Amino acid sequence: MVLKIATWNVNSLNVRLPHVLQWLADAQPDILALQETKLIDEKFPQAEIEAAGYHSLFSGQKTYNGVAILSKQPGTDVIKDIPGLADDQRRVLAATYGEVRVLDLYVPNGESVASDKYQYKLDWLDKLIAFIKVELNRHPKLVVLGDFNIAPDERDVYDPLVWEGKVLCSEPERTALQDLLATGLHDSFRLFEQEEKQFSWWDYRMAAFRRNRGLRIDHVLLSTALRERCKRCYIDKAPRKWERPSDHTPVVVELMS
DNA sequence: ATGGCGCGCGCAGCGCGA
């Protein structure tokens, strides 16, 4: 048996619900973590998702942010905040599915390295790392996935010179991601030999997708106990080719269960 | 060299994303 787990920043679930339902039908994931739903909980399309055979957990707000986890089996032990981080922004959702703990993240973008939002991003990542140390002790079988808004290294950037030192690629952000991995997590994409120039996000402008001018900023991180069970990690570019797509596309892992 | 799109909100055009 294979457990299929995916992450997708949908850039408005209101607009992208048909895409999500289509992708659920096509890919049949066991768990799909969403980011940027941009919906208050009262407007979450729970009935439509249930009709597709999926349970849902969600933590949303108006206009911005918002995370959700869709799953074939219901989740338990739900957390909607990093403990000790009082934050109105809905960026965190954790739940347990059988023996696997899932932590869905929408990491702050940061805007630019000179921005207050960039400092907020680095502080947020510090708090996250402290939380993950605790979470890994409680749940050795941990998946941390989502939109990290960090391209881990040069392989993850279409033109490293253009992006050098810029937000999403700056050294402090990359160091924070390395510190996060050092708690005992592994970038599932890099567990395997991969083709070059594979990305999970492409700007809507400049025909960036057609020219493959993208970044790999959406990740599925696995604890050591789950790394051994990971058979595959791939980026599914198909939804990025659909009409009116999100600028991100799903990243998928398959675990032996 | 710059900006170029798409979203929500709300009804014009701006803030935001990455």
Side-chain angles (χ1 to χ4, degrees):
Chain A
M1 282 293 290
V2 171
L3 194 63
K4 194 169 183 178
I5 303 177
T7 179
W8 191 6
N9 179 325
V10 292
N11 185 20
S12 169
L13 185 56
N14 188 41
V15 174
R16 234 64 71 186
L17 180 61
H19 304 65
V20 169
L21 295 175
Q22 184 65 55
W23 195 76
L24 289 174
D26 292 349
Q28 290 289 315
D30 295 284
I31 295 169
L32 172 59
L34 303 177
Q35 305 86 38
E36 283 207 87
T37 55
K38 300 186 180 179
L39 286 174
I40 58 172
D41 292 349
E42 290 71 20
K43 292 191 176 177
F44 192 88
Q46 191 166 19
E48 291 91 332
I49 287 164
E50 199 170 307
Y54 283 83
H55 300 267
S56 50
L57 295 169
F58 38 88
S59 178
Q61 68 185 90
K62 196 174 176 181
T63 310
Y64 306 113
N65 309 312
V67 284
I69 306 177
L70 316 185
S71 58
K72 288 188 173 172
Q73 301 302 321
T76 60
D77 301 304
V78 178
I79 284 181
K80 298 188 176 182
D81 280 294
I82 297 171
L85 176 59
D87 193 349
D88 293 333
Q89 301 186 23
R90 302 291 81 205
R91 299 179 173 278
V92 175
L93 186 57
T96 300
Y97 299 88
E99 55 178 4
V100 176
R101 182 70 167 170
V102 174
L103 176 55
D104 178 18
L105 302 176
Y106 176 44
V107 176
N109 171 283
E111 190 176 41
S112 73
V113 295
S115 168
D116 290 345
K117 293 177 191 168
Y118 180 78
Q119 196 55 52
Y120 164 70
K121 180 180 194 175
L122 294 179
D123 292 343
W124 195 97
L125 287 165
D126 269 352
K127 300 281 199 325
L128 172 69
I129 289 164
F131 171 52
I132 290 205
K133 286 176 182 171
V134 176
E135 198 72 350
L136 263 174
N137 276 321
R138 277 198 297 239
H139 307 283
K141 294 173 183 168
L142 178 66
V143 181
V144 182
L145 78 174
D147 178 357
F148 285 75
N149 272 317
I150 302 172
D153 64 55
E154 294 199 348
R155 295 171 294 176
D156 305 309
V157 183
Y158 68 90
D159 187 342
L161 279 180
V162 165
W163 283 84
E164 191 172 18
K166 295 205 167 72
V167 74
L168 315 187
C169 297
S170 73
E171 279 313 309
E173 291 166 87
R174 284 178 168 167
T175 299
L177 181 57
Q178 290 309 311
D179 290 347
L180 174 61
L181 293 169
T183 64
L185 296 171
H186 311 275
D187 180 356
S188 58
F189 188 76
R190 294 296 177 205
L191 296 177
F192 307 96
E193 196 166 320
Q194 301 284 3
E195 289 177 20
E196 291 186 5
K197 305 283 182 194
Q198 289 205 74
F199 308 120
S200 64
W201 168 86
W202 301 260
D203 200 302
Y204 283 119
R205 298 166 293 186
M206 296 165 47
F209 181 65
R210 182 177 58 74
R211 299 157 72 192
N212 199 30
R213 293 166 66 94
L215 304 176
R216 191 175 71 90
I217 54 177
D218 301 272
H219 308 301
V220 182
L221 312 183
L222 301 174
S223 63
T224 303
L226 290 181
R227 172 180 62 172
E228 300 161 6
R229 288 166 43 176
C230 186
K231 295 301 170 193
R232 192 176 173 213
C233 175
Y234 62 95
I235 295 169
D236 185 354
K237 284 165 70 173
R240 192 62 176 78
K241 302 171 186 171
W242 296 346
E243 287 291 311
R244 210 179 178 191
S246 169
D247 43 358
H248 297 251
T249 209
V251 181
V252 188
V253 297
E254 293 177 2
L255 305 179
M256 301 297 288
S257 56

